Each structure stands twice: as C-alpha cells, then as structure tokens.
Amino acid sequence: MLEPNVLGVSCFYDPFNPWIWNTEGTVVRGIRINALYLRGPNYTGVFGDGIIRPKLYVCRRNEQGEVEPQLVKEWSFDVEEAMPFRCKRRVEAGWGYALFLNWGDLDLSNQIIRLIVQFERRDGIVISGSHKEFRVPKKGRRA
C-alpha cells in the first residue's frame, strides 16, 4: 500500500490551537499537523514510500529588515516510524497522517516560526510542501 511516486505535500493545521504544551500548560513544546497528505499520481493522499522530513525554522530579521529563517529542528520519519501517525480511515482527500512534532526544551516562546514538510522519495527526489508561519504563544498559562 506504499506509493513510490509522491508528487506533492499538503499540510493542514488547527487554526486556533496547533500547539503541544508542557504538562503544566505554561510553555509550548511542539506543534501538531492535523492532516498531512502525500499526494500521489491522482493527487489524492497516499502512504508514501520514503522519508517524511518536517523542518522547523525561527524567522529573524536581518539589518535590512529581510526575514532570514534559521533551521532549529528537523525530524525524520521513515515508513516504519510514520506508521503510528497514519490515519485509520480514508477520507475524501485520501490517506493521510497526523503528526505530533515535539521540539523538546527549545524555548520558542513569542517567536515566529516557519514549518516546511518535505518528502524524500526512494529515488532521491525531494518534494516540498509550502511553508507555514506561526507565532508561538508567550510563556504562561494557556487560555
């Protein structure tokens, strides 16, 4: 049931609360991708034969005011590691994944982050999804 010919990556996030909080609910420790679709030849979601590589950047401005993303964390999920994140039912968009990306002790409070999910196929071709930017909530009790 693995598709070698992944042609696109689409990610969908909770628009209000994509965050993974620490147990006290005071610091964000990660982000959830509610639905990740690897697009196959007919552009519906498939389970890809390759490696899912989410990359997390912190966006900082340089002296010219331009945004310079700096890579701070990268995850890697091969076929076996991605199994627990597979959705159990096929939906209209196809088969997908729900990823939980924990960045551990990195303190990204109140910073703008950029997330890009790439898929590396077995033939070495890397397919990138579009990037998404978020402002991480400040430290303190979540609402």
Side-chain angles (χ1 to χ4, degrees):
M1 202 158 130
L2 294 177
E3 174 60 55
N5 192 22
V6 170
L7 303 173
V9 177
S10 299
C11 298
F12 299 91
Y13 305 87
D14 181 322
F16 303 106
N17 188 18
W19 309 113
I20 300 169
W21 293 82
N22 67 354
T23 53
E24 296 81 26
T26 56
V27 180
V28 172
R29 291 295 181 212
I31 192 165
R32 289 187 318 265
I33 301 175
N34 286 11
L36 166 68
Y37 295 105
L38 302 175
R39 303 296 185 171
N42 61 359
Y43 222 68
T44 58
V46 297
F47 295 133
D49 188 13
I51 302 171
I52 300 170
R53 294 190 188 279
K55 296 182 179 186
L56 178 69
Y57 299 82
V58 172
C59 296
R60 297 198 170 96
R61 295 204 178 270
N62 63 20
E63 292 175 2
Q64 292 77 32
E66 301 162 333
V67 173
E68 288 185 346
Q70 298 172 328
L71 182 66
V72 293
K73 180 79 175 174
E74 182 175 349
W75 296 265
S76 177
F77 302 94
D78 64 20
V79 171
E80 190 173 311
E81 293 165 327
M83 285 275 202
F85 301 104
R86 285 183 172 188
C87 294
K88 307 297 184 237
R89 287 184 285 161
R90 188 180 190 284
V91 296
E92 189 174 329
W95 293 101
Y97 302 82
L99 289 182
F100 294 80
L101 304 175
N102 190 317
W103 58 64
D105 290 336
L106 281 175
D107 185 3
L108 302 177
S109 299
N110 203 35
Q111 296 190 53
I112 296 174
I113 60 170
R114 177 180 291 178
L115 192 61
I116 299 172
V117 178
Q118 296 179 325
F119 183 76
E120 183 180 336
R121 299 178 352 176
R122 292 263 181 221
D123 60 9
I125 294 175
V126 176
I127 309 296
S128 288
S130 57
H131 71 268
K132 176 76 173 163
E133 291 184 357
F134 304 87
R135 178 171 294 279
V136 179
K138 295 177 183 178
K139 288 182 185 179
R141 274 294 212 211
R142 60 181 161 170

